[in-house]
Amino acid sequence: MNNEVLRRIPSIEQLVMVITKKYCEGEEQKIAQEVLVQLLRRATQKVRQRLQSDLLGTENIREADLQNEVLAQFYVEEKKILEPNLKKIINATGIVLHTNLGRSPISARAQKMVKNVMEGYSTLEYDLKEGRRGERYSHVEQRLIDLTGAEAALAVNNNAAAVLLTLTGIARGKEVIISRGELVEIGGSFRIPDVIRQSGAILVEVGTTNKTHLDDFVSAITNNTAAILKVHTSNYEIVGFASQPEVEAVCRLAREKNLVSINDVGSGSLETIVKGSHVEPSVRDCFRAGFDVVTFSGDKLLGAGQAGIIVGKKKYVDLLKRESLLRALRIDKLSLAALEGTLIDYATGMSGQLIPVWAMMNLEESALVKKAEALVAKLTQLTKRGWGVKVIKTSSLAGGGSLPTVEFNGIGVELAPVGVTVSVAVKKLRSLAVPVICLVRENALVFDVRCVFNDDIDYLVAELVQLAGVETR
Ligand SMILES: *Cc1c(COP(=O)(O)O)cnc(C)c1O
């Protein structure tokens, strides 16, 4: 292939003219000129690469053909440029708090409050009573105090920020003692040892992976110790020959030695969760055990948007409010609105129904079966085409670093496709306008119904029928 062929690709200027002319004649131009040029550059580059790697003869290719090829590429990209990348999906995995799928959906009240705040101006940092500057954090503090039994509260960007701020404010330049069994890594890059270092605190590990005794904490305390940190092992559990001292004893020790006891509980449920033999303490339970400061996420079991909550003794929370780092970690107004809306839902005493993650986790098997059967009833066209369609039992985790060892028994609809392979089918489902993420079995797709909203069922059915119809023709 020689360069002469490459030179037949029309110039960007020429292409811009062609497209602008087209816009003038017909449909209006929907994208900015600079973006248009950018897209044309990329389209041209693609065609150039195609020519360079084309081993077949390209010598006779005409300029007009190349122009059409570039334009075809351009139109594909042009369509995509106005489509969001971050979009709604249908979650048929059964995992309520799926970190990759946006964790917690927010309640109707929270959505309304976000919309209100987002559409115009708000009291974000305005004190209506006094008619002067107010405090962003004030909107949720009392609500968090009421719901957790803390003396004071502070909401920040996320729980990683909450832990970082807490350690910075309380233990910068001093030692923080933590059990080796709790040096947690949460998905992504949140590693407790790194966060401790980043805060300027000095990490002091005690005990072993499986066993830590109270004495290990006792003998690690020095004049420079500021705090004892407990971290919820959100995504694993050490079982077998394993033990940690009673948290009450750890908190008592901290109090006796004038240290701050901090608990990063990760998910932070406002109610004690009892699931079979597993008991997950609530934030209130942490204070009963004696912790001074507790941190947790807004978008895990709390069911709000992204946020990190710090609750605890007033003198420590006040200290953190004065940290300059807080400015960099502050919660934004939309998350704050979602958080306040969710906290109001808790205040009604109807959180189990009003907050989506709780409503979904609370679904009884009978309700799930009903939901699955309703879905199956709408899939007769698939059965007619020979697809296997049946209701099956599933099992999933809460996800999002919550309740790592608690299995949720779920119900799903299993589809064994005909005329299309499972892998092609899941790929097609992922490429829909509203992508569907489901479970994959050897010869079947499974749609766990727990997290599929009723409003999305008809869309799902229509797309499944389409999938079966198109592929078996
Ligand atoms: C999830 C989790 C975090 C991080 O919380 P984000 O809100 O995602 O920043 C920190 N610690 C524990 C124990 C967690 O489970």
Side-chain angles (χ1 to χ4, degrees), residues 269-318:
S269 171
L270 294 187
E271 274 151 51
T272 316
I273 301 173
V274 183
K275 262 269 191 192
S277 63
H278 183 92
V279 179
E280 190 77 13
S282 68
V283 177
R284 208 177 268 278
D285 293 335
C286 295
F287 290 128
R288 278 197 201 104
F291 280 103
D292 296 317
V293 179
V294 178
T295 75
F296 56 97
S297 282
D299 55 358
K300 291 183 184 171
L301 289 175
L302 192 68
Q306 184 185 301
I309 319 288
I310 304 168
V311 280
K313 293 257 165 69
K314 188 165 182 331
K315 63 173 169 179
Y316 300 125
V317 175
D318 284 350

Side-chain angles (χ1 to χ4, degrees), residues 365 369 390-395 409-413 441 446 448:
E365 183 170 295
V369 169
K390 67 177 182 210
V391 174
I392 61 159
K393 282 186 191 283
T394 60
S395 160
N409 295 321
I411 297 292
V413 172
R441 299 277 159 88
V446 175
D448 190 309

Side-chain angles (χ1 to χ4, degrees), residues 103 158-160 186 190 231-232 234 264 266 297 300 307 401:
R103 285 196 187 155
N158 59 7
N159 189 28
I186 309 296
F190 182 88
V231 179
H232 189 263
S234 297
D264 170 15
S297 282
K300 291 183 184 171

Side-chain angles (χ1 to χ4, degrees), residues 16 22 191 195 278 314 382 436:
V16 168
K22 195 173 159 287
R191 290 174 148 199
V195 177
H278 183 92
K314 188 165 182 331
L382 269 65
V436 180

Side-chain angles (χ1 to χ4, degrees), residues 356-375:
V357 295
W358 285 105
M360 288 188 282
M361 282 192 296
N362 289 342
L363 280 172
E364 301 277 350
E365 183 170 295
S366 57
L368 293 170
V369 169
K370 234 170 106 182
K371 210 165 156 184
E373 282 172 349
L375 176 56

Side-chain angles (χ1 to χ4, degrees), residues 60-132:
N60 299 326
I61 203 154
R62 291 180 310 141
E63 197 171 324
D65 293 333
L66 287 175
Q67 174 165 321
N68 286 338
E69 193 178 333
V70 174
L71 289 179
Q73 284 280 357
F74 167 79
Y75 288 124
V76 171
E77 293 290 321
E78 186 204 33
K79 231 174 97 190
K80 276 198 255 170
I81 206 89
L82 299 176
E83 292 289 321
N85 293 317
L86 176 59
K87 55 185 165 187
K88 168 193 160 123
I89 57 111
I90 293 173
N91 174 8
T93 67
I95 300 170
V96 178
L97 293 167
H98 200 305
T99 294
N100 303 141
L101 305 182
R103 285 196 187 155
S104 144
I106 63 173
S107 73
R109 183 196 311 270
Q111 289 171 40
K112 215 151 129 203
M113 286 174 54
V114 170
K115 187 158 181 284
N116 257 330
V117 163
M118 159 175 93
E119 279 172 345
Y121 302 99
S122 64
T123 56
L124 182 64
E125 291 184 353
Y126 191 75
D127 184 334
L128 284 174
K129 214 164 123 215
E130 305 294 333
R132 60 165 186 235

Side-chain angles (χ1 to χ4, degrees), residues 90-95 372 375-376 379 382 387-396 410-417 422-423 425-426 429 436-452 460 464 467:
I90 293 173
N91 174 8
T93 67
I95 300 170
L375 176 56
V376 166
L379 294 175
L382 269 65
W387 283 43
V389 179
K390 67 177 182 210
V391 174
I392 61 159
K393 282 186 191 283
T394 60
S395 160
S396 64
I411 297 292
V413 172
E414 184 187 84
L415 299 182
V422 168
S423 64
V426 290
L429 290 171
V436 180
I437 314 296
C438 65
L439 303 169
V440 180
R441 299 277 159 88
E442 203 172 330
N443 292 311
L445 312 163
V446 175
F447 300 80
D448 190 309
V449 295
R450 186 184 296 276
C451 307
V452 178
L460 176 60
L464 287 172
L467 184 66

